[in-house]
Amino acid sequence: MYKKVKGFRDIYGLESRYWQKVEKILKETFNSFNYQEFYLPVLEKTEVFNRGIGSTTDIVEKEMFAFEDRDGTHVALRPEGTASIVRAYVENKLYNPPATSKYYYIGPMFRRERPQKGRFRQFTQAGIEVFGSAGPAIDADVICILYKLAENLGIDKYVSMEINSIGCPECRPAYYEKLIDYFTDHKEELCEDCLRRLDKNPMRILDCKNPNCKTITKLAPVALDHLCDGCEEHFTGVKSYLDALEVPYNINPMMVRGLDYYVRTAFEMVTDKLGAQAAVGAGGRYDGLIKLLGGPEVPGIGFATGIDRIVALCMLDETEKENEIDAFVVSFKDISDKAAVKVVKLLRDAGISADMDYDFRKMKKQFSLADKNGARFTIVLGEDEMAKNTATVRDMESGGQEEIEISNINEYISDKLRRN
Ligand code: HAM
């Protein structure tokens, strides 16, 4: 017997039902905000992520499934979608003619993290990216989509939105100096990772989970207090549009992101229902990334949600059934087997989901199969019915039953389903 690879998992049964529902709602919501679906490859040249995400981030330093292909090309399973879609945007020159472009993507991502509840080595993200809009109105709209998703999925009661501004290349150098000064004074108390981060990426220290580092960071200077005028004005704008959109949010000056490309607005939708893995969705602005990956100076902003975590939140409210078909046809070998395959076809052609027992088991067993499949109607084709060219249709909700002519069965069921 083979076992799956550590950190990878199988999704089936009830979870897969929730998954389908979540994907449907995500797509409907993205469409309602005028986003177009983008299908991206799962494998990219490793350099796309090294440059895009940043060489001193956890993802690039230790979490990528990266390897040398047989032809010597260095490739990696994508750990996220943003660097990938920016590569595609630049490679396909989608910045011509200049416009605001809005895309979404759904698919698996891979990070070699330590697996735990809500954290997997293959997980699925649904993300959006906007290219070509620099003002605060789009930031607020993007955050609004993330919140709207939670509302449409019915999980808004479990989440809250945290926002922050983490400055830009203009204000960051002076802020970094202050931060490095502060942490240098507490060098002895920092963990090994943070000591490494100190010179190259000091803001990441604020995100360290080590208890000692956490104590020190409490009094560390925050980017929000050291913004340049441009960033200050931008953040004020974001907040005022969020207020206009009535999106509830908290300002969290300690929130920094684990990827290097962010400037100005950063946000996370968090929950306290999934243990240590609090982030259900997160994102921010990344104005320099398109240029960094070889494109023109086009601003960008977006977020990604973790579908595995969203599904886990949705499953806290048990409402879905494992399966739900419209009709199950009960039939008998040599009596109604041919009639049954025809009725099932008739129903399916009319857009009614239907199934039957192709092994023609005993009637009791077939009824239990109907039940297991969550059939709304059971259609019995017995000897009596066959003599009259009819079928007995049982409504599994009300328990009532009616005898219907076989040729009318599709219309009868369609009509009943419409009225429901
Ligand atoms: P991220 O914060 O690394 O951002 O990931 C976004 C979301 O993906 C997280 O909030 C979480 O829900 C989910 N996620 C991440 N890692 C795991 C994991 N190991 N297991 C399960 N779920 C996970 C990004 O990836 C950015 N590309 C977001 C973005 C888009 N920023 C701008 N545009």
Side-chain angles (χ1 to χ4, degrees):
M1 217 221 318
Y2 296 105
K3 294 218 159 142
K4 52 192 168 303
V5 176
K6 184 178 172 191
F8 287 66
R9 65 197 196 101
D10 306 311
I11 293 155
Y12 54 89
L14 195 56
E15 187 176 12
S16 109
R17 293 278 296 174
Y18 276 90
W19 199 284
Q20 284 185 320
K21 181 181 155 190
V22 165
E23 270 198 17
K24 184 165 171 277
I25 293 174
L26 290 173
K27 287 187 178 186
E28 282 167 2
T29 310
F30 295 149
N31 285 328
S32 74
F33 282 79
N34 193 23
Y35 283 69
Q36 316 276 314
E37 186 155 17
F38 209 115
Y39 295 87
L40 293 158
V42 166
L43 204 68
E44 293 275 358
K45 303 237 174 86
T46 311
E47 193 55 22
V48 170
F49 304 117
N50 288 352
R51 286 221 75 175
I53 299 171
S55 57
T56 57
T57 57
D58 284 353
I59 294 180
V60 169
E61 273 186 347
K62 45 190 180 192
E63 293 171 0
M64 272 206 291
F65 285 95
F67 57 96
E68 196 179 319
D69 196 9
R70 288 166 199 267
D71 64 0
T73 317
H74 290 271
V75 291
L77 287 174
R78 58 177 184 194
E80 59 115 40
T82 311
S84 228
I85 199 169
V86 169
R87 191 271 310 141
Y89 180 76
V90 174
E91 184 175 352
N92 296 299
K93 298 194 172 51
L94 299 178
Y95 45 79
N96 274 335
T100 300
S101 316
K102 301 177 176 184
Y103 303 112
Y104 78 86
Y105 50 88
I106 298 181
M109 307 290 162
F110 304 84
R111 295 183 195 175
R112 212 177 178 292
E113 294 185 82
R114 200 164 48 76
Q116 54 175 236
K117 186 181 174 196
R119 190 162 76 191
F120 312 103
R121 291 185 169 180
Q122 176 181 334
F123 56 98
T124 301
Q125 281 188 345
I128 65 159
E129 312 291 348
V130 184
F131 300 124
S133 183
I138 194 72
D139 299 44
D141 203 51
V142 163
I143 295 169
C144 178
I145 299 174
L146 186 53
Y147 187 68
K148 189 79 202 159
L149 284 176
E151 281 188 327
N152 290 351
L153 291 158
I155 55 168
D156 48 319
K157 56 184 177 286
Y158 298 134
V159 299
S160 60
M161 189 71 74
E162 314 250 290
I163 66 165
N164 192 15
S165 177
I166 54 173
C168 71
E170 199 184 315
C171 44
R172 218 172 265 170
Y175 166 58
Y176 271 16
E177 235 174 77
K178 290 212 167 67
L179 205 53
I180 292 172
D181 281 351
Y182 175 83
F183 284 123
T184 307
D185 288 344
H186 297 84
K187 228 172 168 173
E188 305 75 48
E189 294 135 281
L190 289 178
C191 74
E192 244 174 66
D193 277 346
C194 287
L195 278 177
R196 259 189 311 112
R197 289 171 183 145
L198 186 55
D199 294 324
K200 292 183 189 152
N201 208 343
M203 205 155 56
R204 293 279 306 123
I205 301 177
L206 300 181
D207 205 27
C208 185
K209 303 285 176 291
N210 179 299
N212 281 344
C213 300
K214 265 186 144 170
T215 315
I216 305 161
T217 50
K218 273 188 191 138
L219 293 174
V222 291
L224 203 56
D225 294 335
H226 298 85
L227 298 180
C228 59
D229 291 348
C231 286
E232 190 79 58
E233 197 183 319
H234 193 272
F235 194 53
T236 305
V238 175
K239 287 182 288 182
S240 68
Y241 283 112
L242 282 176
D243 294 338
L245 288 163
E246 293 180 25
V247 174
Y249 61 87
N250 307 310
I251 296 168
N252 179 358
M254 297 304 285
M255 191 248 295
V256 292
R257 304 273 299 121
L259 305 98
D260 276 359
Y261 46 62
Y262 292 114
V263 295
R264 296 193 162 167
T265 315
F267 54 94
E268 279 186 358
M269 191 162 78
V270 293
T271 180
D272 58 6
K273 294 276 180 274
L274 297 178
Q277 302 312 308
V280 180
R285 178 166 278 287
Y286 48 84
D287 290 347
L289 184 60
I290 291 150
K291 186 135 188 258
L292 186 74
L293 292 183
E297 210 151 305
V298 173
I301 178 164
F303 69 73
T305 62
I307 296 191
D308 307 68
R309 293 183 191 172
I310 288 185
V311 167
L313 286 185
C314 291
M315 287 180 85
L316 295 176
D317 304 326
E318 289 280 341
T319 50
E320 292 297 300
K321 295 188 188 128
E322 194 153 323
N323 198 4
E324 241 173 333
I325 59 169
D326 296 328
F328 192 94
V329 176
V330 174
S331 64
F332 305 94
K333 185 85 183 126
D334 300 327
I335 294 172
S336 53
D337 49 349
K338 304 284 179 334
V341 296
K342 281 194 200 167
V343 168
V344 167
K345 182 175 185 306
L346 192 71
L347 295 170
R348 289 173 179 164
D349 286 349
I352 298 163
S353 56
D355 206 355
M356 60 180 276
D357 177 16
Y358 292 90
D359 296 304
F360 309 100
R361 293 177 182 85
K362 297 217 167 75
M363 187 151 91
K364 204 171 155 205
K365 178 73 189 162
Q366 291 194 40
F367 269 104
S368 82
L369 277 175
D371 209 36
K372 193 161 175 264
N373 282 286
R376 178 75 178 77
F377 296 95
T378 308
I379 300 170
V380 182
L381 301 174
E383 219 162 339
D384 289 354
E385 285 92 348
M386 284 294 93
K388 293 184 272 175
N389 237 335
T390 60
T392 303
V393 180
R394 184 186 291 181
D395 183 328
M396 302 300 270
E397 263 174 29
S398 67
Q401 55 184 51
E402 271 184 84
E403 203 169 324
I404 308 293
E405 275 197 38
I406 287 187
S407 56
N408 284 339
I409 204 117
N410 49 354
E411 276 170 32
Y412 174 82
I413 303 274
S414 294
D415 190 50
K416 285 265 183 181
L417 289 170
R418 244 196 318 275
R419 277 191 228 171
N420 255 294

